[in-house]
Amino acid sequence: MTPATVQAPSKKKTPSGARELPGAYTGKLLRVDLTKKKCWAESWGPDDMRELIGGVGLGAMILYRETATRGGKGNVSWDHPDNRLILATGPMAGLPAWGSSGLTVVTIGAGTNGPTSTQANGFFGTNLKYSGYDAIVVQGQSRDWVYLYINDDVVQLRDAKFLVGKDTWQTQDALHEATGLAGHQLSVYSIGPAGESLVRFAAIQGDYGHVASKNGCGAVMGRKKLKAVAIVRGTKSLRAADARGLVQAADDIGFDLRTDPSAKSLYEYGTLPGVVNLSRLGALPIKNYTTNVPSIDMSQWEAPKLREGFDHRGHQCSACGMHHCHMSVIRKGDHKGSIVDEPEYEGWSGAGWAIGAVSDVDGVAWLNTELDKACLDVNEFGWICGWVMECQEKGYITEAQLGFRLTWGDIKGAARLIQMISRRQGFGDLLAEGVKRAAEKLGSPAKDCAIYTERGAAPRGHDHRARWDEMLDTCTSGTGTLESGVPVHPTEVGQPARINTFDGEAVAKFIAGIRGRRNFEDSLGMCIFTTRTRLENLCRALNAATGWDVTVPETVRFGRRTAAILRVVSLRSGHTPDLERPSTRYGSTPVDGPAKGQAVGEQWEKMVDTWYREVGYDRKTGKPLPATLKALGLDWLARDLWGKKA
Ligand code: SF4
């Protein structure tokens, strides 16, 4: 196959009257049409940058503008050539601040067949910006497997035959070998067998252990026959409008992360403390939500113990000083000597607690990396594997159906399930459709044990029956995952520091009140762990980088604008308000543990009503109300959505 090559112009034509670009931007989007095998650089200007920032802000607008059907009443499906796969950074990517190599993937995902926004880190953001692009926008579908190679102005769609069938780590190894580059010199994001097989919860995995995992974005990449994106660390420079101010703001953010009680443990141990902390709240999902009482001594799950148990070394992302992200060596058991990525909290949860594997930490760490290699979302895998285990125990799924016996905590069996799902073998073909579709196919009583939202999204790896804010956020979100939480310094946006987490009305007001911040963070090109500082600090960094004067209220307004745009794409995708609810098991009442008897189902309708009222959306149609849109400066969207009624 002849590679399609673009020699992007080193100097773009400046339209008459155009203003100088803000600092921190390259000013170019890399467009890739896989059907036509064409790549080209597209300029974008200061006004769009200020309005959309980058990341999910930019991605949401591209989805809105480019994926509509039926005159704006419908939307393309996830597997349509016109679906867009947007791999976006943001203004902070490539600059000297912690966590500034962020990748935000925005697309119509295969899980909900609606919009999604999901983040990862590593070296993607930095390498792309240094190559001269702020984002990649992929459209069309290739006939043959290709990978996208970027090396400054050389952009090529290359034959990926030699990569097909390889897992994500093997793919990265092969591309390093093919290019003679290693480590951060070449950032690789790819799909493994699950993405190739269009598994509806396939993820995009990169740089050995970083995962954009939500809503089947890996299946979108698979449908486009794009096996990988490989970006050589470019040689172009980035300009900060106020370099001294940027370094000062970045220093203050680092100080905050090291010392603020709300971020300190994250700085020291990443997300490891989550296991023990959440178990104390009844929010650690154990054995598919069948219990909230750990059957073992939890001291072995304390963060220092987890890290001490493995030989490890830091594997931090570009320019990041957090003590997070490690490569570990398995010390004992069947996989002794294997190198794995230290699991995040969600890895311990999805590859461990949710499936009843609570003692074999070596086995769980290994299984978690197997999921990354196959490119399966660890959260949804936890729900589906735990569900199969429970259904087998109860006789709802027979040994003959599955092909073997799978019991709680069976790591080998879970690994077998990964292979079956990733390659759609046997019963794995059904499971590859995701929890919701598999459960609906089998019907009750199996269906009643499955954890999902009625839209088809998989919850994050918590027991949300003890975190009603996250359940409400997951069910109403326009991104197929959390859109508003986790709350960071809520008082800064006028919300209380604490609420009664089992008071549905207070929870709904809180989630509506903090709405906006997260979309702002996900537009910066920064990691969500290094944005756990006050918005004021993030504004200082962004303003120093760009030369803008963004204020805290403006960040919230920006995030809510982005949420409204995603909501409209979501409605176009057929996500009506009646789907905004948890499945029977997801919305059930815990039978034991700290949240025993707390019945979210009894308050659900009131919670959703309150949320709608607070965010200013129409409860019946799900549409943002004209007044809400106008207050956000989205008059054009009000007209699109409401016509003359706007
Ligand atoms: S906090 Fe962790 S994931 Fe985030 S940028 Fe730093 S090392 Fe990477």
Side-chain angles (χ1 to χ4, degrees), residues 493-576:
V493 292
Q495 294 305 306
R498 280 202 177 73
I499 57 166
N500 175 355
T501 52
F502 298 119
D503 174 341
E505 198 165 350
V507 165
K509 283 184 176 167
F510 183 72
I511 277 298
I514 62 169
R515 188 174 168 78
R517 175 183 173 126
R518 189 161 187 147
N519 280 337
F520 171 67
E521 292 175 28
D522 291 344
S523 299
L524 295 176
M526 283 182 83
C527 170
I528 55 160
F529 299 133
T530 57
T531 52
R532 284 203 189 177
T533 181
R534 286 182 296 281
L535 278 169
E536 186 196 331
N537 283 337
L538 295 178
C539 286
R540 278 178 52 218
L542 177 63
N543 291 337
T546 57
W548 294 337
D549 53 1
V550 173
T551 60
V552 170
E554 203 180 322
T555 64
V556 174
R557 199 158 170 266
F558 163 82
R560 292 179 183 185
R561 268 204 318 267
T562 304
I565 293 167
L566 285 170
R567 158 72 50 157
V568 177
V569 178
S570 193
L571 289 167
R572 283 191 331 212
S573 303
H575 293 175
T576 44

Side-chain angles (χ1 to χ4, degrees), residues 50-64:
R50 182 67 191 250
E51 190 189 341
L52 308 173
I53 300 183
V56 63
L58 173 65
M61 186 62 93
I62 291 173
L63 284 189
Y64 182 81

Side-chain angles (χ1 to χ4, degrees), residues 98-102 120-122 210 266 270 315-325 344 526-530:
W98 288 2
S100 56
S101 196
N121 299 285
H210 298 279
L266 190 65
H315 177 55
Q316 282 80 13
C317 308
S318 180
C320 191
M322 300 283 275
H323 296 185
H324 181 228
C325 291
E344 296 284 345
M526 283 182 83
C527 170
I528 55 160
F529 299 133
T530 57

Side-chain angles (χ1 to χ4, degrees), residues 124 147-151 175 179 186-189 228-232:
F124 184 98
Y147 74 95
L148 177 64
Y149 172 81
I150 302 171
N151 184 356
L175 287 171
T179 56
L186 185 77
S187 173
V188 176
Y189 269 76
V229 177
I231 313 175
V232 179

